[in-house]
Amino acid sequence: MHYYRYENEEVSCCYKYLMFSYNIIFWLAGAAFIAIGFWAWSEKGVLLDLTQVTRLHGFDPVWLVLAVGAITFILGFAGCVGALRENICLLKFFSGVIGFIFFLELTAAVLAFVFQDNVREWINDFFLANVKAYREDIDLQNLIDSLQKMNHCCGAKEPDDWNLNLYFNCTVNNPSRESCGVPFSCCLSDPADTVLNTQCGYDVRKGPKGVWSNAIYVKGCIPALEEWLPRNIYIIAGVFIVISVLQMMGIFFARTLIGDIEKVKFNYY
């Protein structure tokens, strides 16, 4: 009986430990994201009353943190264990999911470019829904405040979008002290201020629109985003390319390692 052997009878240690090192970072990062997500929920008391998860009508940023953490953790775990144990199933799972995610990213980018008007309308509706739920979740509130401060904007298309919120609407029978106002993140920032004035937006919209620009940003966040994108198109493209290269590297390491493992296994049959 004759046995035909390949010159390389062992799995490449180089690709094996490159694959492990590549994934250990994502595994730890995923665990960190999950820990941060549950910590945020514990701070809001959600873990003591899980019914709060379904009460929020807007977007809870913690869900995004947990989803990213869970996916990253599972993929990192599959890649690490698959590399160390030379498990073809785990490596195929890893490379398949990474490839599927890359396909989804590419598809989303193409669809966003082709259906720009629909995407713009969806983003507008999404922002308005979260304006309405602004006071219902502290993380959502902080996220909207950050977006408005960073982009020097207020509301989705204009400051009057805050009429959708129970606390800020301008109806006569609204008992809220914030009635006809806007969040402090809409206020024009003064570098000389050392103390944050959270009441700077009170009663701003009771006056004529012509004077609003003296106290708050009058541009909506959707127009601000549309102006920001063309100015930063190279940065966005660069980030997308870096992410794509990292994903391709993961697939390359996994497929190369799978090939080595299959060769070694075939060598013994």
Side-chain angles (χ1 to χ4, degrees), residues 26-97:
F26 293 101
W27 186 23
L28 295 174
F33 272 110
I34 292 173
I36 291 170
F38 280 111
W39 171 80
W41 264 359
S42 68
E43 288 292 302
K44 293 188 290 187
V46 174
L47 297 181
L48 299 176
D49 182 8
L50 292 177
T51 59
Q52 294 184 46
V53 173
T54 58
R55 289 179 192 171
L56 183 64
H57 298 293
F59 170 68
D60 187 349
V62 177
W63 275 113
L64 179 60
V65 173
L66 287 172
V68 171
I71 294 172
T72 307
F73 180 85
I74 292 171
L75 287 177
F77 179 81
C80 286
V81 177
L84 289 179
R85 302 294 298 174
E86 299 177 7
N87 188 302
I88 292 177
C89 291
L90 286 176
L91 291 172
K92 285 184 176 180
F93 169 78
F94 171 84
S95 61
V97 173

Side-chain angles (χ1 to χ4, degrees), residues 106-117 119:
L106 192 61
T107 303
V110 172
L111 291 178
F113 179 78
V114 174
F115 301 102
Q116 295 181 37
D117 293 336
V119 172

Side-chain angles (χ1 to χ4, degrees), residues 86-155:
E86 299 177 7
N87 188 302
I88 292 177
C89 291
L90 286 176
L91 291 172
K92 285 184 176 180
F93 169 78
F94 171 84
S95 61
V97 173
I98 291 290
F100 180 67
I101 291 173
F102 177 77
F103 174 76
L104 289 181
E105 291 169 350
L106 192 61
T107 303
V110 172
L111 291 178
F113 179 78
V114 174
F115 301 102
Q116 295 181 37
D117 293 336
N118 301 79
V119 172
R120 187 182 297 109
E121 193 61 33
W122 178 83
I123 293 174
N124 181 72
D125 293 342
F126 179 77
F127 198 96
L128 290 176
N130 289 288
V131 162
K132 189 175 181 180
Y134 176 75
R135 290 295 191 204
E136 296 184 26
D137 183 85
I138 187 63
D139 292 318
L140 174 63
Q141 182 175 310
N142 290 335
L143 178 61
I144 292 177
D145 284 335
S146 297
L147 288 173
Q148 293 191 145
K149 284 191 292 186
M150 288 173 56
N151 295 289
H152 296 170
C153 58
C154 188

Side-chain angles (χ1 to χ4, degrees), residues 142-209:
N142 290 335
L143 178 61
I144 292 177
D145 284 335
S146 297
L147 288 173
Q148 293 191 145
K149 284 191 292 186
M150 288 173 56
N151 295 289
H152 296 170
C153 58
C154 188
K157 292 184 177 178
E158 58 177 355
D160 271 340
D161 289 335
W162 284 99
N163 278 329
L164 292 173
N165 188 273
L166 179 65
Y167 297 92
F168 295 101
N169 73 66
C170 269
T171 53
V172 179
N173 57 350
N174 184 6
S176 172
R177 178 61 188 88
E178 296 175 308
S179 174
C180 278
V182 291
F184 72 91
S185 54
C186 287
C187 297
L188 298 176
S189 57
D190 186 352
D193 291 340
T194 56
V195 179
L196 179 63
N197 180 10
T198 57
Q199 300 180 357
C200 60
Y202 284 14
D203 304 323
V204 168
R205 291 187 295 117
K206 286 183 177 179
K209 287 189 175 183

